[in-house]
Amino acid sequence: MTDAVPAYAPVELAFAGPAVPIPASRTPFTLDVGLGDRRLRVPGFWDGGDRYVARFLPETAGEWSWSTASEAPELDGRSGTVVVSGAAGHGPVRVVERFHFAHADGTPHRPVGATVYNWLHQSDELFTATADAIAQARFTKLRFMVFPQAGDYVEHHPELLPFERGPSGWDVDRPNVAFFRRLDAAVALLGDRGIQADVLILNAYDGGRFGLDGLTEEQDAVYLRYLVARLSAFPHVWWSLCNEFDILDRPRSRWDRLGTLLAETDPHDHLRSIHNWIELFDHNRPWITHASIQNGHVTTELGRAGLYRDVYDKPIVLDEIKYEGDIPERWGHLSAEELVHQFWVATVSGCYASHGESFALPGGSLHIVEGGALLGRSPQRLAFLRHVLDDLVVPGIDPIDKWDDPEFVGGVARRQYLRYFGRSAPPSWRFRLPQATNVGERLQSGDAFTVDIIDTWNMTVTAVERPFVLDDVRRNEAFAPEAIALPAGEAIALRITRTR
Amino acid sequence: MTDAVPAYAPVELAFAGPAVPIPASRTPFTLDVGLGDRRLRVPGFWDGGDRYVARFLPETAGEWSWSTASEAPELDGRSGTVVVSGAAGHGPVRVVERFHFAHADGTPHRPVGATVYNWLHQSDELFTATADAIAQARFTKLRFMVFPQAGDYVEHHPELLPFERGPSGWDVDRPNVAFFRRLDAAVALLGDRGIQADVLILNAYDGGRFGLDGLTEEQDAVYLRYLVARLSAFPHVWWSLCNEFDILDRPRSRWDRLGTLLAETDPHDHLRSIHNWIELFDHNRPWITHASIQNGHVTTELGRAGLYRDVYDKPIVLDEIKYEGDIPERWGHLSAEELVHQFWVATVSGCYASHGESFALPGGSLHIVEGGALLGRSPQRLAFLRHVLDDLVVPGIDPIDKWDDPEFVGGVARRQYLRYFGRSAPPSWRFRLPQATNVGERLQSGDAFTVDIIDTWNMTVTAVERPFVLDDVRRNEAFAPEAIALPAGEAIALRITRTR
């Protein structure tokens, strides 16, 4: 009997097995592990030499029992127990309240993500510096690719590639263990720094350089299963099937089958998405847990992003709203002011967004490609946004009167509201709240509120030193008599909280 | 051998069958009808007494052969031919070019629809007057309900109801033939006037008055099959499964099965949709041909409606963008100016919209409920819009640079464009066109265009008497040197057509 281990941390069981590796297309062994009614069927994987490993993630305290099954006698019929006590962190992020996220222990999670596509494939020094910079900027999520990228702005080619070569191209039956151990370490590094690992399983930027976009559907499936076996036990993994999937010339049915396989294979049911270039995927497909969308247009003004909530009925994560930077392409030269504005638009629309940085670097690359220090002026404002989100007393922001409120107030009816004025606030605002449409309590005369003025660029929160009491309650909106003076011309939001 | 009949007109075959009617839950007979490779399996229906009818719609000229199969000997094994020559009209409307509509013969169809929910259930006089008024206003489509409505603003209760009553409620096995003959006549009347019949199969406004929203799923299916058997041969039928489906407390899977049944049952494959109240249906479902959406918010400003095109990859018909009228509810008091503006926003966004009118009538009802003369100022402007659409040289309007064009120009790249300035145009506009993103030809220096100034409210089209030649072609946009003077403050659009 070993010492107790905490919940929400991976448990790894290693066994000696056949020295001639079992090909990855045949899961070498499975671990049946459970506690009470909860049973997991965990795929094991070959980890080099005669080493075979299974990892699982206990989410509750107690004595978990496990047993193995395998075609190989050495890996078959093993059993034991693991005592779980206490917890390390908050557990995997899952969908709550239709449009939002929380950790398994109930702690709200508001993704404010960063993007470094080729992070995994850089030198150890740059690799570590990037994770440190992202953690220091308080981003909660990092999007990065397992397979390397070729093409524009890519100045580094990796030493490690994911598979051995066979007589006719990649042999996915023989994963390169050194490559995947590096991936393990990368995911662990993010976990240590409190960052969710948004793993881009496939990418569309191979361009013939590595040939990893030329795998067959069966090869993709072998790789996917191996990847899941290695990483699923990490609590902070999110899966993204592909970045800009529609650049690749594949039928959607193939993506759909791969996504369905992912959902069936992952014993820990991590978040699953797929990300578009020009044509959206059908995020209503059941294997998709949240819509990961590229469309910078929907966050430039209020009234757009929330439309995606209606159509998908899932959390909306705008994983590419263009980048803060200075390159000629229009996807890469947003001002910091504009990018911060877009995050606030996403927020009050009840959606989430990701950051990326694309200043032309001396070596010819970009931060979104290789990482390094963050140079822009948006990250500290996004950390401030995250601070505001963490201080909310409601689980998430939803439109109050989704198709009819000219002010696009978000929040939870009669509890707490966010009102955002865009990049240039007027000199004053008459206290007004929309009535909820089909859900939520109706505002009543006498309801009292506090107001905090949030300067989204200068990063200040200033309480208005008097209460606001509704005295004019109408069918679709309600008013307090006073107006509020605003710092005209600044990017201002209001946080409005009911006290009575 | 009978005389030839035209294509695109219903062919009706009637037979004497069992005098004790075959219950509607058992299709009394089927007609196998075909010409060459094209074979249709057409359900017959009981039409009162010992009369049994099958109707089909030939779409090509030639000698069509038919034969019957039935449990009843009188209806079984009959056969014959029908010679089809020439054509009556343009045939059923179907989806073309992903986002648009055309008749079977290729003629473009641009729906500019009207709405009179209880049209079918009014006096003959009002019924006919309504169809005349809608035809005179040049609307191309009418949304109306088969089942009657109860509730607010409804002042008339129908004499005819669709089924006989049985010991435990409605007996859908015994349709009321008088009711359905009236429905036949209503659909025929619209056809005579050149109006598509957008048939709302179920509705959410029964409110316990008739009990027709309390049918079981099996009863709904019997009714649906009977309805399809009667109406499918009319070329101008569109099916809408329900208006504001989400008012009814039913699982979506039930709607999905009914819609799938509709697609399987209808031999002529008419357009199929379902219309929402607050929660959108998943219009990506394969049985849905176009997204019929209620959301007036998306047409108040440019940049919103087109987002639905991306998610559904089907034509978008905004079948309820609020109504021109004067009632207190905010869905019923748009100004004519605002409603016309919203149609233009829908149009340049590559979408379609429907009209409705809700002035408080002396009897307490509304035009959208009971019909009658049109009182508003929007219909003639919408007829003008239809005229503009009919004059287009392109099959449909699509966004040129869908997520990045600040001017939201629609059209077909390098052929013809529509630019709309909203309810208040500036005094002048510098000639500018966006480059297409992933499709279409790129603009080139020297490309020449004519410009027509369209006053959408005052209904004038004024040609600018000089050509515009591109001399400044950039990555994402192109310019001609001259500016165009506009009638400032008016609701202006431009039609821009390449001549060289």
Side-chain angles (χ1 to χ4, degrees):
Chain A
M1 180 107 172
T2 54
D3 291 339
V5 298
Y8 306 142
V11 174
E12 179 171 298
L13 302 171
F15 306 93
V20 177
I22 298 173
S25 53
R26 305 207 301 274
T27 298
F29 72 108
T30 56
L31 191 75
D32 184 71
V33 57
L35 173 66
D37 291 341
R38 178 153 170 84
R39 300 221 68 84
L40 304 174
R41 188 179 159 80
V42 176
F45 61 91
W46 174 68
D47 193 38
D50 68 348
R51 179 178 156 88
Y52 293 82
V53 170
R55 296 171 177 161
F56 75 97
L57 184 71
E59 296 196 30
T60 49
E63 183 172 314
W64 290 67
S65 60
W66 56 265
S67 61
T68 66
S70 173
E71 63 178 83
E74 310 96 299
L75 300 173
D76 187 52
R78 310 287 291 267
S79 65
T81 60
V82 175
V83 175
V84 175
S85 173
H90 301 291
V93 174
R94 300 205 167 93
V95 173
V96 296
E97 309 269 342
R98 292 176 71 180
F99 298 109
H100 303 290
F101 299 99
H103 291 273
D105 73 351
T107 306
H109 177 84
R110 281 88 179 209
V112 178
T115 313
V116 183
Y117 292 118
N118 283 279
W119 171 58
L120 186 64
H121 305 289
Q122 308 305 317
S123 68
D124 288 346
E125 191 182 353
L126 181 54
F127 172 79
T128 307
T130 300
D132 290 345
I134 286 166
Q136 198 175 3
R138 300 200 71 220
F139 287 109
T140 67
K141 178 165 85 75
L142 175 65
R143 289 167 61 70
F144 70 95
M145 308 191 302
V146 178
F147 289 172
Q149 174 178 8
D152 294 347
Y153 297 114
V154 179
E155 296 298 312
H156 181 86
H157 288 307
E159 289 162 25
L160 290 172
L161 284 163
F163 313 108
E164 305 293 335
R165 287 201 177 271
S168 57
W170 294 113
D171 184 355
V172 296
D173 263 333
R174 293 188 295 152
N176 179 352
V177 170
F179 176 95
F180 284 100
R181 285 184 178 164
R182 183 171 168 86
L183 177 61
D184 289 350
V187 171
L189 186 72
L190 293 181
D192 291 344
R193 283 156 179 73
I195 301 167
Q196 301 292 307
D198 201 347
V199 179
L200 296 162
I201 297 174
L202 297 174
N203 76 57
Y205 320 118
D206 190 294
R209 174 75 177 77
F210 308 106
L212 290 162
D213 60 353
L215 302 182
T216 65
E217 181 172 351
E218 292 67 30
Q219 289 175 316
D220 279 349
V222 172
Y223 155 60
L224 178 92
R225 277 199 281 252
Y226 188 82
L227 185 73
V228 167
R230 288 203 79 105
L231 297 188
S232 173
F234 288 99
H236 57 293
V237 161
W238 300 31
W239 304 117
S240 177
L241 212 52
C242 192
N243 210 61
E244 296 191 325
F245 80 94
D246 51 319
I247 289 180
L248 292 174
D249 183 21
R250 296 183 181 187
R252 296 200 174 202
S253 53
R254 179 170 165 180
W255 293 112
D256 212 44
R257 287 189 296 271
L258 196 66
T260 303
L261 177 68
L262 175 61
E264 290 167 357
T265 305
D266 179 6
H268 299 103
D269 198 28
H270 289 287
L271 295 168
R272 293 175 298 270
S273 67
I274 183 168
H275 172 270
N276 66 286
W277 177 43
I278 287 173
E279 303 283 344
L280 298 194
F281 201 81
D282 176 7
H283 300 292
N284 279 324
R285 300 296 301 157
W287 62 267
I288 295 177
T289 56
H290 62 286
S292 167
I293 296 175
Q294 166 168 197
N295 184 353
H297 157 77
V298 298
T299 42
T300 56
E301 290 190 12
L302 289 159
R304 297 174 185 169
L307 297 176
Y308 288 139
R309 292 170 39 111
D310 296 320
V311 297
Y312 297 126
D313 196 22
K314 293 175 183 177
I316 306 300
V317 184
L318 297 157
D319 276 319
E320 216 178 309
I321 53 175
K322 306 183 179 175
Y323 304 123
E324 183 185 357
D326 60 4
I327 58 173
E329 291 90 339
R330 60 186 176 182
W331 52 260
H333 59 219
L334 291 193
S335 68
E337 288 84 350
E338 178 63 20
L339 187 59
V340 172
H341 163 73
Q342 292 197 31
F343 265 83
W344 276 89
V345 169
T347 299
V348 298
S349 303
C351 303
Y352 300 93
S354 291
H355 167 272
E357 193 174 283
S358 57
F359 292 101
L361 299 177
S365 189
L366 307 173
H367 188 274
I368 52 164
V369 174
E370 66 171 31
L374 286 158
L375 305 176
R377 295 180 303 149
S378 66
Q380 60 175 311
R381 276 85 187 181
L382 302 182
F384 172 75
L385 167 61
R386 185 183 162 188
H387 178 71
V388 171
L389 292 173
D390 286 344
D391 283 350
L392 290 175
V393 300
V394 293
I397 297 295
D398 297 301
I400 299 295
D401 181 16
K402 69 176 181 176
W403 292 339
D404 288 284
D405 179 10
E407 300 194 348
F408 300 101
V409 174
V412 173
R414 228 171 159 231
R415 289 184 62 199
Q416 191 169 46
Y417 302 83
L418 283 182
R419 164 78 169 97
Y420 175 59
F421 293 93
R423 287 185 60 180
S424 182
S428 77
W429 175 75
R430 180 175 174 198
F431 188 98
R432 171 199 169 275
L433 290 174
Q435 291 281 15
T437 44
N438 63 330
V439 291
E441 288 184 83
R442 287 187 66 77
L443 296 165
Q444 294 174 16
S445 191
D447 284 355
F449 298 85
T450 58
V451 175
D452 297 302
I453 297 175
I454 300 170
D455 186 323
T456 66
W457 182 257
N458 296 308
M459 296 176 283
T460 58
V461 178
T462 310
V464 179
E465 292 195 2
R466 65 176 190 279
F468 293 82
V469 181
L470 299 182
D471 71 340
D472 179 5
V473 176
R474 305 181 193 176
R475 181 196 296 259
N476 299 124
E477 55 195 346
F479 298 89
E482 301 89 353
I484 296 171
L486 301 176
E490 298 296 318
I492 299 300
L494 301 179
R495 180 173 56 205
I496 301 168
T497 310
R498 187 162 75 97
T499 55
R500 185 185 79 218
Chain B
M1 181 104 170
T2 55
D3 291 339
V5 298
Y8 305 143
V11 174
E12 179 171 298
L13 302 171
F15 306 93
V20 176
I22 298 173
S25 53
R26 305 207 303 274
T27 298
F29 71 108
T30 56
L31 191 76
D32 185 72
V33 58
L35 172 66
D37 290 342
R38 177 154 172 83
R39 301 221 68 85
L40 304 174
R41 188 181 159 80
V42 175
F45 61 92
W46 174 69
D47 192 37
D50 68 349
R51 180 178 155 88
Y52 294 81
V53 170
R55 296 170 178 162
F56 75 97
L57 184 73
E59 296 195 32
T60 50
E63 184 173 311
W64 290 67
S65 59
W66 58 264
S67 62
T68 66
S70 174
E71 63 178 85
E74 309 97 298
L75 300 173
D76 187 53
R78 310 285 293 267
S79 64
T81 60
V82 175
V83 175
V84 175
S85 173
H90 301 290
V93 174
R94 300 205 167 95
V95 173
V96 297
E97 309 268 343
R98 293 176 70 180
F99 297 109
H100 303 291
F101 299 99
H103 291 273
D105 74 350
T107 306
H109 177 83
R110 281 88 180 210
V112 179
T115 313
V116 184
Y117 292 118
N118 282 279
W119 171 59
L120 187 64
H121 305 290
Q122 308 304 319
S123 69
D124 287 348
E125 192 181 353
L126 181 55
F127 173 79
T128 308
T130 300
D132 290 344
I134 286 167
Q136 199 175 2
R138 301 199 71 219
F139 287 110
T140 68
K141 178 164 85 74
L142 175 63
R143 289 167 61 70
F144 69 96
M145 307 191 305
V146 179
F147 289 172
Q149 175 178 8
D152 294 347
Y153 297 113
V154 178
E155 296 298 311
H156 180 87
H157 288 306
E159 289 162 23
L160 290 171
L161 284 163
F163 312 109
E164 305 293 337
R165 288 202 176 270
S168 58
W170 295 111
D171 184 356
V172 296
D173 263 334
R174 293 187 294 151
N176 179 353
V177 170
F179 176 94
F180 283 100
R181 284 184 179 163
R182 183 172 169 84
L183 177 61
D184 288 351
V187 171
L189 185 73
L190 293 181
D192 291 343
R193 281 156 180 73
I195 300 167
Q196 302 290 308
D198 201 347
V199 179
L200 296 163
I201 296 174
L202 296 173
N203 76 56
Y205 320 117
D206 190 294
R209 175 75 177 77
F210 307 106
L212 290 161
D213 61 352
L215 301 181
T216 65
E217 181 172 351
E218 293 67 31
Q219 289 175 317
D220 279 349
V222 172
Y223 155 60
L224 178 92
R225 276 198 284 252
Y226 187 81
L227 185 73
V228 167
R230 288 203 80 105
L231 296 188
S232 173
F234 289 99
H236 57 293
V237 161
W238 300 31
W239 304 117
S240 178
L241 213 51
C242 192
N243 210 62
E244 297 191 324
F245 81 94
D246 50 319
I247 290 181
L248 292 175
D249 183 21
R250 295 182 180 188
R252 296 200 174 201
S253 53
R254 179 169 166 179
W255 293 111
D256 212 44
R257 287 189 295 270
L258 195 67
T260 303
L261 177 68
L262 175 61
E264 290 167 358
T265 304
D266 179 6
H268 299 103
D269 199 28
H270 289 288
L271 295 168
R272 294 175 297 271
S273 68
I274 183 168
H275 173 269
N276 65 286
W277 176 43
I278 287 173
E279 303 283 343
L280 298 195
F281 202 80
D282 176 6
H283 300 292
N284 279 324
R285 299 296 302 157
W287 63 266
I288 295 177
T289 56
H290 62 286
S292 167
I293 295 175
Q294 168 170 197
N295 184 352
H297 157 78
V298 298
T299 43
T300 56
E301 289 190 13
L302 289 158
R304 297 174 186 170
L307 297 176
Y308 287 139
R309 292 169 40 110
D310 295 319
V311 296
Y312 297 126
D313 196 23
K314 292 176 183 175
I316 306 300
V317 184
L318 297 157
D319 276 320
E320 218 178 308
I321 53 174
K322 306 183 179 175
Y323 304 124
E324 183 185 356
D326 60 4
I327 58 173
E329 290 91 339
R330 60 186 175 181
W331 52 260
H333 58 218
L334 290 192
S335 68
E337 288 85 349
E338 177 63 19
L339 187 59
V340 172
H341 163 72
Q342 292 197 31
F343 265 83
W344 276 90
V345 168
T347 298
V348 298
S349 303
C351 302
Y352 300 93
S354 291
H355 168 271
E357 193 175 282
S358 57
F359 292 101
L361 299 178
S365 190
L366 306 173
H367 189 275
I368 52 164
V369 174
E370 67 171 28
L374 287 157
L375 306 175
R377 296 180 303 149
S378 66
Q380 60 175 312
R381 276 85 187 182
L382 302 183
F384 173 76
L385 167 61
R386 185 183 161 188
H387 178 72
V388 171
L389 293 173
D390 286 345
D391 283 349
L392 291 175
V393 300
V394 293
I397 297 295
D398 297 300
I400 300 295
D401 182 15
K402 68 176 180 175
W403 292 339
D404 288 284
D405 179 9
E407 299 194 348
F408 301 102
V409 174
V412 174
R414 227 171 160 230
R415 289 185 61 200
Q416 191 169 44
Y417 302 83
L418 283 183
R419 164 77 169 99
Y420 175 58
F421 293 93
R423 288 186 60 181
S424 182
S428 77
W429 174 76
R430 181 176 173 196
F431 188 99
R432 170 199 169 275
L433 290 173
Q435 291 282 15
T437 44
N438 61 332
V439 290
E441 288 184 81
R442 286 187 65 79
L443 296 165
Q444 294 173 17
S445 191
D447 284 355
F449 298 86
T450 58
V451 175
D452 298 302
I453 299 175
I454 300 169
D455 186 322
T456 66
W457 181 255
N458 296 306
M459 296 177 282
T460 59
V461 178
T462 310
V464 179
E465 291 193 4
R466 63 175 193 279
F468 292 83
V469 181
L470 299 182
D471 71 340
D472 179 4
V473 176
R474 304 181 193 175
R475 181 197 295 257
N476 299 122
E477 55 194 346
F479 298 88
E482 302 89 353
I484 295 172
L486 300 177
E490 298 297 317
I492 299 300
L494 301 179
R495 181 173 57 205
I496 301 168
T497 310
R498 187 161 75 97
T499 56
R500 185 186 80 218

